[in-house]
Amino acid sequence: VATQVAARLGAALDTTVPVRLLFEAATVSALAARIQEQAGSGGRAALVPQPRPTRVTASGEVVDAVPLSLAQQRMWFLNRFDQASAAYNLPMAIRLSGALDVAALRAAVADLVARHEVLRTVYPETESGPVQVVLPAGAAAPRLQVRSVAPGDVVAAVAELASAGFDVTAEVPLRVALLRIGDTPGPGNASDIDGVVDEFVLAMVIHHIAGDGSSVGPLTRDLMTAYAARTAGEVPGWAALPVQYADYSIWQRAVLGDESDPESPAAKQVGYWQSTLAGVPDQLDLPVDRPRPAVQSFAGSRVRVSIDAETHAGLVRVAQQQNATLFMVVHSALAVLLSRLSGSDDITVGTPVAGRGEAALDHLIGMFVNTLVFRTRLDRGEAFTGLLLRQRETDIAAFAHADVPFERLVEVLDPARSQARHPLFQVGLTFQNLAASVLELPGLTVSGVEFDSEISQFDLNLILGDTYDESGAPQGVAGYLTYATALFDETTVQGFADRFARLLREIVAAPETAVGDLEILAPVERAQVLAQWNATEHAIRAGLLLDGFNAVAAAHPDRVAVSFEGTSLSYGEFAGRVNQLARYLIAEGVGPETLVGLLVSRSVDLVVGMYAVVAAGGAYVPLDPAHPAERIGYILDTASPLCVLTTTADVAAVADGGVAVVAPDVAVLMLDTLDVSGYAEAEVVDADRRAPVRSSNTAYVIF
């Protein structure tokens, strides 16, 4: 809304009105005074119909060469990368009950496509890149598919339509189906006739290259107008659109200018984002249920989020007290939750912005939405109100630099690319404060169809909408938390949603609380964490270092004892290797107060060697193969071990010719080639050792 106000004031007064002014000037008179200071200084070019660029084909034909908008470019690339993906399909479905005139509806869909060029545009690739090609209205309207479905199959049928991919280079980005609910129609009511029936679901799918969430409003209004006219035997009497989407695409590039010009809006906005997002983490590591797959599947599900009216009113109050918006409060709270869940104090969240500041776009279907990246740096000792004030500045600045498309930021910032995750952020926040769309059709009762597209573009995406009564009193915030099913289970994400709702209540109750002290655990969870998980008291009997290990190995031989790089040993297997090596060392002369060098990198061999030396009664001297040879040599000279346990690879890693750091009279035993198969795997006891081991004997020596 602030973006629209700023754009329209600027157009009316021939000046540029920064979005920030609406937050800095808290009254109408103060805003007027601030704007008057710069009125007449010249605003940006008006959005009007543009000359359409053309190109000459190989056959000599002159055709349109309208460039794609900046937002469309990424949609086009993603579609070429995976045409079968439904991740960027925008589905909608409405239930129609009553006397539906199928012929009028079919004509209304054709009227809609004729009115909005973007619904009959294809995007072929040329030698200079993709272009927009607007098809003739008569030949481009999608066929209205009409078929019967059982009442229980409606959601599945809508989902099937929504999940089919598009090839935007060759087919129009709109698909429409009319589903008759009930039994197969008889001869007088066949699915291909223009008759009257009682119960239908109208399902429409638009590819994101041609539409966005704000397009639902003009689509709904125009379809309603066209259907009403057609049922009366007339053509729609609407006024012509001031511009088409192709005009916007050309205008957008002219307004932003060339990035190579440092004074252009494009260059200045790119510079802002380069500074703001410098060094941003590549990935937010949340507590997942499964490892991240190599390729993001976009398969998703969702859990419901509901914030009661009392909490909603409290959040609005907190926002007003800090001269912020409800979005800013919710965004700051989400950043706190993500920080607490991940342990990171540098959080990025992506959120869509409508991109419809110009009045000429109010009634246009098209892809205007852009994605902004909000960065939050948290100090856990800072009050939430302090964080909100800082975040308010961050959010305002982001909205003031919202023209550079997200896909361009990805190119400029060049984060580590991976098909496994979304770049720059993996958590989205969508605040659905769009104007409500009401569809009224003659002779019909209209209602929505609830369905889940089972898609999640991000790891998590919080989608919320706020409602108010006729007096403007808050009535609650509700929506969904969508999640990638490849990473999370439903119970885990429901826990996230519950913690978020609890966090919001905590903020309302005490907004001055430090963000690190805001409670996100339910009382029963806190009791479990503090009383049960932390109940670590355990009776320890006096004895030797490996007594506890030997007891567990005997009691639970099949449990995993040690794992490293995909290799795991059970307690039984691990104890067997330890005891065999210990007996070998005893035969070599290792006993109480005998030192053994352990020149082994982090590995299973390192742990086996460590335990084996202790089991034999000796003491190990840890040596890091990554350390300088001089230091390793110094430790060996000082400790004078009886022998050194190592591996072929670790010896090779030591400088100065490898084993040259070991004195000639010290035995070097290679764990990876040593044959200990002739020794028993049974537990080593004092009777097997060179002398009994006492608790006062040395266990290890560290430098």
Side-chain angles (χ1 to χ4, degrees):
V1 173
T3 303
Q4 288 182 327
V5 172
R8 293 168 200 205
L9 284 172
L13 302 174
D14 188 28
T15 188
T16 299
V17 179
V19 174
R20 176 178 294 276
L21 278 189
L22 277 84
F23 293 89
E24 293 177 344
T27 64
V28 174
S29 59
L31 179 62
R34 292 288 301 274
I35 294 176
Q36 188 172 14
E37 296 173 359
Q38 58 193 58
S41 58
R44 61 185 185 181
L47 175 52
V48 296
Q50 305 287 315
R52 303 284 177 94
T54 59
R55 62 186 177 89
V56 180
T57 65
S59 62
E61 181 184 5
V62 178
V63 296
D64 285 346
V66 178
L68 275 60
S69 73
L70 298 175
Q72 282 182 323
Q73 286 187 173
R74 181 167 173 79
M75 291 299 105
W76 186 88
F77 169 78
L78 292 170
N79 180 257
R80 302 309 298 149
F81 185 74
D82 185 4
Q83 293 179 19
S85 173
Y88 294 96
N89 286 0
L90 302 177
M92 61 175 289
I94 52 176
R95 187 180 298 270
L96 307 171
S97 304
L100 175 67
D101 186 335
V102 179
L105 181 61
R106 183 176 287 121
V109 171
D111 292 333
L112 178 73
V113 173
R115 177 168 171 79
H116 294 273
E117 287 183 355
V118 73
L119 297 180
R120 49 188 170 92
T121 299
V122 293
Y123 306 86
E125 184 172 12
T126 70
E127 61 277 359
S128 57
V131 296
Q132 299 187 48
V133 175
V134 180
L135 302 178
R143 183 177 66 87
L144 180 65
Q145 308 170 34
V146 185
R147 59 190 179 92
S148 296
V149 297
D153 296 335
V154 171
V155 172
V158 173
E160 179 184 0
L161 184 77
S163 63
F166 284 94
D167 177 3
V168 301
T169 66
E171 60 179 316
V172 295
L174 174 65
R175 194 175 294 129
V176 188
L178 195 59
L179 309 175
R180 180 182 186 273
I181 303 174
D183 299 329
T184 303
N189 201 22
S191 61
D192 60 347
I193 69 167
D194 298 337
V196 176
V197 294
D198 296 323
E199 194 80 11
F200 273 108
V201 166
L202 176 63
M204 306 180 73
V205 183
I206 303 176
H207 191 275
H208 221 333
I209 201 169
D212 54 21
S214 297
S215 296
V216 174
L219 184 151
T220 301
R221 290 192 298 268
D222 289 348
L223 186 63
M224 176 180 67
T225 300
Y227 180 80
R230 291 299 180 177
T231 55
E234 302 172 355
V235 296
W238 47 41
L241 292 169
V243 294
Q244 291 287 345
Y245 190 85
D247 300 316
Y248 164 79
S249 301
I250 300 167
W251 170 85
Q252 179 193 45
R253 293 177 179 272
V255 166
L256 285 178
D258 192 338
E259 282 183 31
S260 62
D261 176 6
E263 297 302 315
S264 69
K268 292 179 180 179
Q269 292 199 23
V270 166
Y272 164 82
W273 288 110
Q274 286 177 311
S275 173
T276 300
L277 300 180
V280 72
D282 290 326
Q283 180 172 302
L284 180 65
D285 292 318
L286 295 168
V288 297
D289 296 300
R290 286 169 290 281
R292 185 180 297 275
V295 178
Q296 185 180 9
S297 69
F298 298 104
S301 189
R302 65 186 186 182
V303 300
R304 188 175 293 274
V305 177
S306 181
I307 309 301
D308 60 79
E310 182 181 357
T311 303
H312 182 193
L315 294 171
V316 171
R317 184 172 59 252
V318 171
Q320 291 173 340
Q321 290 170 349
Q322 304 300 321
N323 195 24
T325 66
L326 179 62
F327 169 85
M328 295 172 184
V329 177
V330 172
H331 172 218
S332 299
L334 178 60
V336 172
L337 176 68
L338 295 175
S339 175
R340 298 283 290 277
L341 292 175
S342 66
S344 172
D345 292 332
D346 193 349
I347 304 296
T348 56
V349 171
T351 195
V353 57
R356 290 175 178 259
E358 308 300 318
L361 303 179
D362 283 355
H363 304 294
L364 199 60
I365 296 172
M367 173 54 172
F368 303 101
V369 70
N370 192 17
T371 302
L372 303 184
V373 183
F374 291 132
R375 187 177 192 177
T376 306
R377 297 175 188 261
L378 290 103
D379 175 355
R380 302 198 180 197
E382 181 181 27
F384 179 81
T385 49
L387 169 64
L388 177 58
L389 286 174
R390 288 195 298 111
Q391 201 58 50
R392 171 185 178 276
E393 293 303 308
T394 298
D395 289 4
I396 292 173
F399 280 115
H401 296 84
D403 296 313
V404 175
F406 173 77
E407 50 276 9
R408 180 56 186 149
L409 294 186
V410 175
E411 294 174 359
V412 172
L413 297 170
D414 195 24
R417 303 301 179 92
S418 171
Q419 294 185 51
R421 62 172 181 261
H422 193 274
L424 297 181
F425 68 89
Q426 290 82 48
V427 177
L429 171 61
T430 302
F431 218 77
Q432 297 281 36
N433 50 3
L434 306 174
S437 298
V438 179
L439 185 62
E440 296 179 354
L441 300 176
L444 294 169
T445 300
V446 182
S447 58
V449 177
E450 185 81 6
F451 70 97
D452 183 359
S453 62
E454 298 184 342
I455 288 174
S456 183
Q457 295 180 8
F458 317 121
D459 294 356
L460 296 173
N461 191 18
L462 182 60
I463 304 172
L464 297 176
D466 50 336
T467 56
Y468 303 84
D469 65 13
E470 293 180 355
S471 67
Q475 294 296 292
V477 180
Y480 298 95
L481 181 58
T482 71
Y483 61 94
T485 52
L487 298 177
F488 300 104
D489 291 332
E490 180 181 0
T491 53
T492 299
V493 180
Q494 185 62 61
F496 295 164
D498 294 343
R499 285 171 173 78
F500 183 64
R502 188 174 302 112
L503 180 62
L504 293 178
R505 293 193 294 270
E506 288 279 317
I507 290 169
V508 168
E512 299 290 340
T513 303
V515 295
D517 294 337
L518 289 167
E519 184 61 80
I520 65 172
L521 296 178
V524 65
E525 288 181 309
R526 176 159 288 279
Q528 181 186 46
V529 169
L530 295 181
Q532 297 178 25
W533 293 357
N534 281 336
T536 56
E537 64 276 6
H538 186 73
I540 302 296
R541 62 183 179 85
L544 299 177
L545 186 57
L546 296 189
D547 283 353
F549 164 73
N550 288 325
V552 172
H556 308 290
D558 296 329
R559 292 184 181 176
V560 174
V562 59
S563 296
F564 180 74
E565 292 187 348
T567 299
S568 296
L569 296 179
S570 68
Y571 273 98
E573 294 168 332
F574 179 66
R577 288 182 56 175
V578 166
N579 293 327
Q580 284 182 311
L581 179 57
R583 285 185 165 85
Y584 182 96
L585 294 175
I586 292 170
E588 290 292 310
V590 175
E593 300 302 323
T594 303
L595 302 188
V596 176
L598 195 58
L599 183 64
V600 184
S601 302
R602 182 186 295 268
S603 62
V604 172
D605 282 335
L606 172 65
V607 189
V608 171
M610 186 186 305
Y611 275 62
V613 173
V614 176
Y620 65 91
V621 182
L623 301 158
D624 190 341
H627 283 175
E630 293 81 358
R631 173 170 173 77
I632 296 173
Y634 166 76
I635 294 174
L636 290 173
D637 289 343
T638 306
S640 299
L642 176 71
C643 60
V644 173
L645 291 176
T646 186
T647 68
T648 305
D650 290 316
V651 166
V654 178
D656 295 338
V659 295
V661 297
V662 182
D665 59 337
V666 177
V668 177
L669 308 177
M670 302 290 186
L671 290 176
D672 52 335
T673 60
L674 196 64
D675 183 8
V676 296
S677 59
Y679 294 90
E681 297 183 6
E683 179 184 341
V684 176
V685 297
D686 274 347
D688 302 312
R689 300 184 180 104
R690 302 183 71 83
V693 178
R694 306 287 181 244
S695 59
S696 58
N697 289 133
T698 305
Y700 78 101
V701 177
I702 190 167
F703 282 68

